[in-house]
Amino acid sequence: MFCYQCEQTDRTNGQPGCASAKGNCGKDATTADLQDLLVHALKGIGQYAALARGLGESDREADRFILFGLFTTLTNVNFDAARFTAFLREAATTRNRVKARCDELAQARGTTIQPLSDAAAWQPGASLPELLAQASTVGIQEGLKKLGEDVIGLRALVLYGLKGVAAYAHHARVLGYESEEVYAGVETTLDFLARHPTDVNALLSHALELGQLNLKVMELLDAANTGRFGIPQPTSVRMTPVAGKAILVSGHDLGDLHALLEATKGTGVQVYTHGEMLPAHGYPTLKAYEHLAGNYGGAWQEQHSDFAKFPGPILMTSNCIIEPLPLYRQRIFTTGPVGWPGVRHLADHDFTTLIQAAKALPGFRETASDESITVGFGHDAVLGVAGKVVDAVKAGKIRHFFLIGGCDGAAPGRNYYTEFAQQAPDDTVVMTLGCNKYRFNRHQFGDIEGIPRLLDLGQCNDSYSAIRIATALATAFGCGVNDLPLSLVISWFEQKAAAVLLTLLALGIRNIRLGPTLPAFLTPNALDILVKQFGIQPLGDARTDLAMALAPRAA
């Protein structure tokens, strides 16, 4: 195996990347190699799907499979090699179906389909050893040997950004929101990668095009979440448990949470959110369920401690699972794209066994003293008081805005975000999204003229809110986003973060501080390009970076 798609990657060797029997995320070599092969297979489907669109047709089943398949290869999503073997068989069947239809359409038009890439002709090996032998020819290391780290690193930037786009689009899709434009963009990118691009400028250009596509995807996901569950409202969320039977829901998928709330209605079982599910409490449809009791625990990397202490079953949705400890392995369930060997997987929102487990387990015996935080400051809530915000800026009462958001993680250096947020002066506003918020969301920031100094915009899935707020403020002040008293301090971790970064760059947003470490797939040459064109800045010392952000700008 060789993998360097996330911030956890091993950096102790000359070539950064996890290359042993097991990655730092817990992914074993077999699963990692099968994921590489699945991406290769999806490129082949993408080529024929793009060709079919050019011939006037699309295959919705193939569109959806591509999104789901890419999602399963994200960091901390699916670790089950047996399921990837099944995905590979399904990929071949899907590709053959789309190819056959392309052949029919071409024949009807009297045209000939030109030979496509090796991915379009791939056929799955008959056994696991044969599949692994195929995977060895399509992994990153093969490319590094032939083309060097700059080209392969930029291909990785495009691929990992595409994985993030697919994950966001899948979240929207399961809520009933789809877009032909998005499907076409995903398949065009797969086709582009399948042709083994080597031109650095073409790769950078496509990365920015992908950022523009991700903006449309995030807008679609925003419409899906608000269309299904209402516009988020500022809401106080209980952070301590109440007595009673309980289920904990982690990950990101609001649709799974909603289905579970429906299934547990009237059962006496309380439902708690964890990690990135915290913002769910701001949605009117979801918070209307009286048995949505509160939030338990912190960010994803704390699940070993949080899940071990939780006295009920856990449902893991979408992504961010890490290897379950024996203390709770028998009471954790997965759903959607998530998988771990030996862990029970629930399909089609059938939560019968999950609810039975909740009733059998002790639950919380006592109600703890109430502690709460406030969530629900999406773009509608913030822009609803935009006039008040603008007036406060013009009056000198708000000096600066900071967006301190992104993924949390266990790697050293993440205390930077705590220090930066807590040291931000009292005349500044801190906006946050993603689970990075757990680094400082219990700090008492106070308010400015009734405007809370800490505005929780939601999940990483809600990055669109930050963009909407920034562009609206720029319009109100008659300037560009880069001219606002606004600094972006971003923590990246996995491929959704890569997609959001590409969107920010595509929008021309400059001087983003990115950390705690820079992606290993960004070579010094690639990073130099991003620094020169976009002013990307690695993190330094929190106090120094804060002072630089607040320093008067040159005229």
Side-chain angles (χ1 to χ4, degrees):
M1 72 175 283
F2 181 86
C3 182
Y4 60 1
Q5 70 177 4
C6 81
E7 195 262 340
Q8 296 172 102
T9 195
D10 185 5
R11 297 170 187 266
T12 61
N13 300 314
Q15 170 64 50
C18 294
S20 61
K22 199 173 193 179
N24 287 345
C25 68
K27 181 170 57 179
D28 64 70
T30 295
T31 303
D33 290 345
L34 293 177
Q35 288 183 0
D36 287 345
L37 189 58
L38 178 59
V39 169
H40 182 69
L42 292 171
K43 290 175 184 176
I45 300 173
Q47 285 206 290
Y48 276 112
L51 182 60
R53 286 182 187 280
L55 294 169
E57 284 197 14
S58 61
D59 186 316
R60 185 52 54 88
E61 186 179 341
D63 297 337
R64 293 171 174 173
F65 179 75
I66 287 171
L67 297 186
F68 182 83
L70 286 169
F71 199 166
T72 63
T73 70
L74 263 71
T75 299
N76 289 18
V77 173
N78 198 311
F79 297 77
D80 192 340
R83 287 182 67 188
F84 280 101
T85 300
F87 294 154
L88 286 163
R89 308 290 178 207
E90 187 176 354
T93 300
T94 301
R95 191 271 321 281
N96 292 342
R97 184 184 69 249
V98 181
K99 177 184 182 301
R101 185 56 183 154
C102 284
D103 290 338
E104 292 173 0
L105 293 169
Q107 185 177 12
R109 288 162 174 73
T111 60
T112 302
I113 295 177
Q114 298 299 314
L116 300 177
S117 76
D118 53 338
W122 169 81
Q123 295 296 335
S127 65
L128 178 59
E130 290 179 26
L131 290 172
L132 294 176
Q134 291 178 331
S136 69
T137 67
V138 300
I140 294 170
Q141 284 179 309
E142 277 300 300
L144 288 171
K145 294 174 188 175
K146 296 175 182 177
L147 297 170
E149 60 181 10
D150 287 338
V151 168
I152 298 305
L154 287 173
R155 282 187 192 172
L157 176 63
V158 175
L159 174 60
Y160 302 155
L162 179 64
K163 288 185 179 188
V165 169
Y168 287 136
H170 175 80
H171 278 299
R173 200 283 292 175
V174 295
L175 293 177
Y177 286 68
E178 299 176 86
S179 163
E180 288 295 334
E181 182 181 7
V182 169
Y183 285 132
V186 168
E187 289 153 7
T188 296
T189 302
L190 286 169
D191 178 55
F192 172 75
L193 290 170
R195 297 178 187 277
H196 308 296
T198 58
D199 183 84
V200 168
N201 291 326
L203 285 161
L204 283 170
S205 176
H206 204 99
L208 295 180
E209 290 174 13
L210 197 58
Q212 290 287 356
L213 179 66
N214 189 55
L215 178 62
K216 294 170 184 171
V217 172
M218 291 193 297
E219 182 178 11
L220 183 70
L221 179 54
D222 179 76
N225 286 335
T226 57
R228 284 287 303 274
F229 308 120
I231 295 171
Q233 304 165 346
T235 302
S236 179
V237 182
R238 185 183 180 98
M239 301 295 284
T240 51
V242 296
K245 304 291 185 177
I247 294 173
L248 187 63
V249 184
S250 193
H252 298 72
D253 200 291
L254 299 182
D256 289 337
L257 175 62
H258 181 244
L260 178 63
L261 288 168
E262 271 294 302
T264 50
K265 190 165 55 176
T267 64
V269 176
Q270 307 278 0
V271 175
Y272 294 82
T273 57
H274 176 268
E276 281 270 58
M277 296 299 288
L278 169 62
H281 294 266
Y283 288 90
T285 297
L286 299 176
K287 71 177 184 176
Y289 289 90
E290 293 183 358
H291 63 297
L292 181 60
N295 190 78
Y296 181 88
W300 68 271
Q301 79 277 2
E302 297 176 14
Q303 63 191 260
H304 276 167
S305 173
D306 292 342
F307 292 1
K309 295 175 184 175
F310 190 78
I314 303 109
L315 179 66
M316 199 74 209
T317 76
S318 70
N319 53 311
C320 292
I321 190 172
I322 57 180
E323 182 172 5
L325 295 175
L327 282 169
Y328 61 85
R329 188 181 292 260
Q330 297 305 311
R331 53 187 175 86
I332 186 171
F333 299 77
T334 62
T335 190
V338 192
W340 192 279
V343 168
R344 287 170 288 184
H345 187 77
L346 306 179
D348 303 320
H349 287 160
D350 183 355
F351 298 124
T352 304
T353 55
L354 179 69
I355 297 170
Q356 289 172 344
K359 292 180 176 179
L361 289 163
F364 290 104
R365 300 191 185 281
E366 297 179 352
T367 297
S369 58
D370 187 11
E371 297 178 19
S372 63
I373 61 173
T374 303
V375 302
F377 293 99
H379 57 86
D380 289 281
V382 175
L383 296 180
V385 294
K388 189 174 181 180
V389 172
V390 170
D391 289 345
V393 173
K394 290 180 176 178
K397 294 176 180 176
I398 295 179
R399 180 175 23 153
H400 206 85
F401 297 89
F402 295 102
L403 175 61
I404 309 174
C407 307
D408 202 1
R414 290 183 177 270
N415 285 340
Y416 171 96
Y417 301 97
T418 308
E419 295 168 9
F420 196 105
Q422 293 183 359
Q423 291 174 17
D426 290 345
D427 58 354
T428 63
V429 172
V430 174
M431 299 183 290
T432 187
L433 51 78
C435 59
N436 174 280
K437 66 171 66 76
Y438 283 104
R439 291 279 165 176
F440 47 80
N441 67 350
R442 295 202 183 200
H443 179 72
Q444 298 300 312
F445 285 89
D447 66 88
I448 300 173
E449 300 287 309
I451 301 166
R453 285 194 56 236
L454 178 65
L455 301 174
D456 185 344
L457 308 185
Q459 299 179 331
C460 68
N461 290 13
D462 298 311
S463 298
Y464 181 70
S465 275
I467 293 170
R468 280 286 305 277
I469 291 167
T471 53
L473 287 174
T475 299
F477 287 108
C479 64
V481 171
N482 291 318
D483 300 313
L484 287 171
L486 169 66
S487 299
L488 277 65
V489 185
I490 306 299
S491 59
W492 84 285
F493 185 82
E494 42 88 339
Q495 297 76 62
K496 287 181 178 179
V500 173
L501 176 62
L502 291 179
T503 296
L504 296 174
L505 299 183
L507 291 171
I509 296 175
R510 295 182 54 82
N511 302 319
I512 299 168
R513 284 182 169 82
L514 183 65
T517 56
L518 295 176
F521 53 84
L522 284 182
T523 64
N525 289 334
L527 180 60
D528 186 57
I529 293 171
L530 296 180
V531 170
K532 288 178 179 176
Q533 292 191 14
F534 304 102
I536 291 285
Q537 303 174 46
L539 303 185
D541 170 75
R543 187 177 297 277
T544 301
D545 287 354
L546 181 61
M548 289 175 62
L550 293 171
R553 299 184 182 183

